[in-house]
């Protein structure tokens, strides 16, 4: 178990790297989709919430290692220009999450729970020049075991 000094950045980077392996010609943002100049189709990744819990007895994970479990709730917004394309891309995102779970980082358990919404139509851009896009929101929970620096 390696020590992580930047757990949020590491989690976002791992997830972005994981999705990019399976989603060709799809832009992946590790923040909310830009209001102007967004490259569509795309996926935006946002950490909605996180909480921590001690492992084992206190923070003792192994004889010489202290750690905490970090539970993250992640929102993935999948964007496309048609309802059919956004559903197709959302399916690819889900398959990628399940296919690649546990391949990166210090995951104890990857996908704990996955929720999704149906397709919604949303304007993007200014009121005068709004583009109509379609979105599916996926939310899932993951657990990272992060060892504490000595």
């Amino acid at each position: 178990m390696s020590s992580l000094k930047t757990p949020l950045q590491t989690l976002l980077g791992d997830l972005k790297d994981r999705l990019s392996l399976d989603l060709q010609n799809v832009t992946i943002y590790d923040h909310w989709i830009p209001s102007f100049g967004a490259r569509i189709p795309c996926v935006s990744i946002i950490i909605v919430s996180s909480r921590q819990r001690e492992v084992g007895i206190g923070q003792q994970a192994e004889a010489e290692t202290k750690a905490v479990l970090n539970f993250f709730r992640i929102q993935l917004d999948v964007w496309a220009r048609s309802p059919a394309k956004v559903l197709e891309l959302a399916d690819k995102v889900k398959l990628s999450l399940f296919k690649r779970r546990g391949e990166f980082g210090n995951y104890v358990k990857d996908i704990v729970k996955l929720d999704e919404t149906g397709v919604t139509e949303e304007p993007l851009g200014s009121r005068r020049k709004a583009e109509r896009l379609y979105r599916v929101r996926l939310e899932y929970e993951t657990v990272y075991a992060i060892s504490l620096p000595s």
Side-chain angles (χ1 to χ4, degrees):
M1 182 182 309
S2 63
S3 175
L4 292 178
K5 293 185 169 66
T6 57
L8 297 176
Q9 293 172 17
T10 301
L11 174 64
L12 287 172
D14 283 352
L15 190 51
K16 190 174 179 180
D17 291 346
R18 179 191 315 190
L19 290 174
S20 67
L21 292 172
D22 294 319
L23 305 175
Q24 287 74 38
N25 302 316
V26 175
T27 302
I28 301 170
Y29 296 102
D30 56 1
H31 50 78
W32 184 251
I33 182 175
S35 296
F36 297 97
R39 295 171 60 189
I40 307 299
C42 69
V43 176
S44 60
I45 306 167
I46 300 164
I47 296 175
V48 176
S49 64
S50 69
R51 65 188 194 289
Q52 292 75 36
R53 190 182 87 201
E54 295 179 335
V55 297
I57 300 172
Q59 295 177 342
Q60 208 65 39
E62 296 170 5
E64 301 295 322
T65 307
K66 292 187 176 195
V68 292
L69 293 177
N70 286 262
F71 297 80
F72 292 101
R73 185 152 185 91
I74 312 235
Q75 177 176 317
L76 297 140
D77 290 300
V78 181
W79 299 85
R81 289 193 165 86
S82 75
K85 290 288 184 192
V86 78
L87 285 172
E88 178 184 328
L89 183 54
D91 282 341
K92 288 180 181 178
V93 169
K94 284 173 64 173
L95 289 173
S96 179
L97 288 173
F98 284 109
K99 173 182 169 185
R100 301 204 176 274
R101 62 182 167 187
E103 288 183 9
F104 294 92
N106 292 323
Y107 299 104
V108 170
K109 192 189 277 188
D110 197 6
I111 298 170
V112 178
K113 180 181 174 186
L114 178 67
D115 298 320
E116 64 185 271
T117 63
V119 176
T120 57
E121 182 180 6
E122 302 195 20
L124 185 67
S126 69
R127 207 180 285 171
R128 300 178 89 185
K129 195 175 180 180
E131 180 179 9
R132 299 307 256 176
L133 295 177
Y134 296 88
R135 173 175 77 141
V136 169
R137 185 179 70 219
L138 303 170
E139 285 190 7
Y140 83 98
E141 294 178 11
T142 187
V143 181
Y144 252 75
I146 298 175
S147 64
L148 301 174
S150 303

